Amino acid sequence: MAEVFEYSDRLNSPVEAFYCTPENSRLPVGAHWHYFVEMLYLLEGSVHVICNGVSYCLSAGDLLLIPPQVVHSISRDSDHPYLYTCVKYSATHIRLVEGYLPNLHILFRNLMKEEYPPLLFSPDDFGFRKEQEPARDLTRDRSADPKETPTYLLMEEIIREVRQRPYGYLTVIFSRLTGLLLEILRSWYQRGIPLQTEPPSETDTLSIQDVAIYIDRHSHEALKVDDLAKMCNMSYSYFAKVFHRQYGQSCKQYIEFIRLTKAENLLLFTDHDLSAIAEETGFSDSSHLIRCFRRLYHTTPKQYRLQHVTGAF
């Protein structure tokens, strides 16, 4: 089966969160990939997920993190009913402010180079617990109710915020997701997984995946596709062909997508004016930013900020 790119409507759904059951989400889900992070938390039954050829079997209480641009499929392990929560969001919205914390895009890419990437977590992998409730070892006690874990309560809160969209709902959601990702980082750190995310040397020959990381780090600069092709030791035409096959769009479109993603982040979480945002994200001026933004989001940056920041849906 061919790998399918899954489009995300970032204007109307900057975060997606929902419950999956045999009635509303029939398995199997074929191999596909997307630009956003996906988290699955299993409540009932068992499911089987393949990420880049590696198999993960989820039981009740397990959480699976699927990084961006990772080909994955989902199937059921048995004929028993299943129930799981699914949350999808952009990693660019996660604000890890301490300087020693890793760049998530580079970290995810490095993790997927492991023979068995550590993407599956049981409740006992996380340090947080429900307030005023004694800690329970849910890893060893599979009879414990997965709906009593802090992870489920967090997922339930995110789903509720997405459905109701109260004032400031995006800020609430991304603050909760940031906390969960920090728990995941701590779990990796305790397992001895290196979190340093030094990018490849710019003098080294880069892979297509490395180029995507380079674009993310240098999107505010003037980027030429021809220069990126030379970094990969490829001709312009061959690089363009390989890049389009890998990411489902041209390199020029990808650069613009990354810049618009960062502009969207600044619109949501800062009070910078459009000229400052354009300069910080690599657009020639605010008019250029507005044209590109309108083409992708079908609205202006000003209207987008008003809709999402003031909760004017």
Side-chain angles (χ1 to χ4, degrees):
M1 181 181 296
E3 300 162 4
V4 178
F5 168 67
E6 181 179 340
Y7 173 74
S8 174
D9 184 355
R10 296 173 57 81
L11 173 62
N12 296 308
S13 302
V15 179
E16 295 181 48
F18 44 87
Y19 293 101
C20 295
T21 68
E23 288 72 34
N24 66 11
S25 181
R26 299 189 65 178
L27 298 181
V29 175
H32 65 287
W33 66 275
H34 38 64
Y35 287 113
F36 43 84
V37 179
E38 184 170 2
M39 288 182 173
L40 307 179
Y41 181 72
L42 198 66
L43 292 162
E44 297 176 11
S46 58
V47 298
H48 182 218
V49 182
I50 299 179
C51 293
N52 280 4
V54 179
S55 297
Y56 300 88
C57 294
L58 282 70
S59 301
D62 287 341
L63 172 76
L64 183 73
L65 181 149
I66 303 173
Q69 302 176 15
V70 170
V71 177
H72 57 284
S73 61
I74 310 172
S75 60
R76 59 196 306 175
D77 262 356
S78 66
D79 293 331
H80 296 296
Y82 57 85
L83 170 63
Y84 63 90
T85 63
C86 179
V87 177
K88 304 177 181 182
Y89 60 94
S90 170
T92 58
H93 285 25
I94 303 300
R95 305 175 68 81
L96 303 178
V97 295
E98 288 89 345
Y100 62 85
L101 292 173
N103 179 297
L104 290 176
H105 292 283
I106 300 176
L107 175 61
F108 289 153
R109 179 65 63 186
N110 290 343
L111 284 171
M112 295 313 298
K113 294 177 182 178
E114 299 284 336
E115 182 178 358
Y116 192 88
L119 305 179
L120 184 61
F121 303 89
S122 64
D124 206 47
D125 287 322
F126 300 141
F128 54 49
R129 289 287 185 269
K130 279 178 65 177
E131 293 183 6
Q132 299 178 345
E133 182 172 307
R136 298 173 59 185
D137 189 347
L138 295 175
T139 304
R140 297 174 178 83
D141 181 13
R142 282 297 183 183
S143 64
D145 187 353
K147 292 185 179 181
E148 294 182 7
T149 67
T151 305
Y152 169 73
L153 296 177
L154 184 148
M155 293 288 190
E156 186 182 48
E157 180 183 10
I158 291 173
I159 292 175
R160 184 171 60 251
E161 290 285 325
V162 167
R163 286 177 173 175
Q164 299 177 0
R165 295 188 174 187
Y167 178 83
Y169 78 101
L170 284 176
T171 300
V172 170
I173 289 172
F174 285 114
S175 68
R176 302 295 187 268
L177 290 172
T178 299
L180 180 55
L181 268 174
L182 283 172
E183 289 293 331
I184 289 173
L185 289 175
R186 287 177 174 175
S187 175
W188 283 334
Y189 182 81
Q190 291 169 358
R191 297 187 203 181
I193 296 169
L195 300 182
Q196 294 79 12
T197 57
E198 286 299 318
S201 169
E202 294 173 15
T203 60
D204 294 339
T205 298
L206 304 183
S207 67
I208 292 294
Q209 291 82 7
D210 293 331
V211 163
I213 294 172
Y214 182 91
I215 291 171
D216 182 68
R217 292 176 63 87
H218 297 267
S219 58
H220 60 286
E221 302 173 8
L223 295 174
K224 296 182 178 180
V225 177
D226 192 48
D227 292 337
L228 297 174
K230 290 176 182 177
M231 291 180 184
C232 293
N233 242 351
M234 297 179 185
S235 68
Y236 179 93
S237 58
Y238 183 68
F239 172 83
K241 180 179 179 180
V242 173
F243 194 97
H244 194 282
R245 185 171 64 232
Q246 179 76 18
Y247 292 103
Q249 60 186 313
S250 71
C251 185
K252 183 178 179 181
Q253 290 171 325
Y254 183 83
I255 292 170
E256 183 176 290
F257 173 82
I258 294 298
R259 287 172 173 165
L260 287 172
T261 298
K262 294 185 176 183
E264 177 199 17
N265 208 27
L266 292 172
L267 287 167
L268 290 175
F269 298 108
T270 75
D271 60 357
H272 297 346
D273 61 30
L274 289 186
S275 295
I277 292 176
E279 181 178 359
E280 192 166 338
T281 53
F283 292 96
S284 56
D285 52 38
S286 58
S287 297
H288 184 205
L289 168 60
I290 292 170
R291 286 197 305 274
C292 294
F293 198 94
R294 186 193 291 273
R295 184 164 58 242
L296 181 64
Y297 294 95
H298 307 293
T299 188
T300 66
K302 181 179 179 180
Q303 291 169 334
Y304 184 87
R305 173 179 268 171
L306 288 173
Q307 286 177 321
H308 289 80
V309 174
T310 65
F313 280 98

